[in-house]
Amino acid sequence: MPPIKSFRDLDVYRRALVEAKNVFIITQNFPREERFSLIDQIRRSSRAVDALLAEGWARRRYRAAFINKINEALGAAMETQSWLDQSRMCGYISDEQYRELDQAWQHIGAMLQRMIQRADDFCMPESK
């Protein structure tokens, strides 16, 4: 595996970008009255994941700050899953769409959890 030089090299970052785009595409078919509620919420939470990963990468000099940002990204991924639950319950997405999207976000969440558990592998040693 090539060395990770940037947050853009992280597989979880690339996956989160793709899934945020998938959320954007699918929400284009949601009812207009959901524009300022469900659509905005699910788009924001899904887009927050890759942004928080980038911010966490920038703060990896400090282990606690890195873990905090990755943990926030994990929270945003799980929030996205909650909005997917609402979308399915309201009939805006099919059961198949729900399963595909939920599985993808579950996988992203698992990857983020592993990053937290392996924080020392990502963080730079602190200077004394």
Side-chain angles (χ1 to χ4, degrees):
M1 186 167 105
I4 298 170
K5 297 179 182 176
S6 164
F7 63 89
R8 291 185 179 104
D9 296 331
L10 296 168
D11 188 36
V12 66
Y13 176 83
R14 291 191 300 263
R15 286 177 187 247
L17 273 178
V18 167
E19 292 309 321
K21 181 179 179 185
N22 288 337
V23 164
F24 177 82
I25 291 168
I26 208 161
T27 56
Q28 288 179 319
N29 297 319
F30 282 20
R32 195 167 169 82
E33 64 266 16
E34 291 287 5
R35 183 171 179 209
F36 297 109
S37 54
L38 181 57
I39 294 171
D40 281 351
Q41 294 286 24
I42 195 170
R43 285 179 179 177
R44 286 179 188 175
S45 65
S46 65
R47 289 174 174 172
V49 175
D50 51 273
L52 288 162
L53 276 163
E55 191 173 351
W57 185 262
R59 296 174 186 236
R60 71 191 192 286
R61 181 173 181 188
Y62 303 102
R63 186 178 188 277
F66 172 80
I67 289 173
N68 181 60
K69 287 299 168 188
I70 303 306
N71 192 52
E72 287 182 35
L74 177 59
M78 295 179 99
E79 180 184 346
T80 300
Q81 288 182 279
S82 174
W83 293 122
L84 288 170
D85 293 346
Q86 291 286 332
S87 300
R88 181 177 67 166
M89 190 167 46
C90 292
Y92 301 151
I93 58 175
S94 68
D95 288 344
E96 182 180 342
Q97 290 171 313
Y98 171 82
R99 277 191 298 277
E100 287 175 14
L101 288 165
D102 188 63
Q103 184 177 28
W105 285 104
Q106 185 67 31
H107 185 71
I108 289 167
M111 294 173 80
L112 293 167
Q113 186 62 45
R114 282 192 299 278
M115 282 184 78
I116 292 168
Q117 292 168 346
R118 295 180 47 222
D120 291 336
D121 293 342
F122 294 96
C123 293
M124 299 182 290
E126 292 185 37
S127 57
K128 304 250 176 182

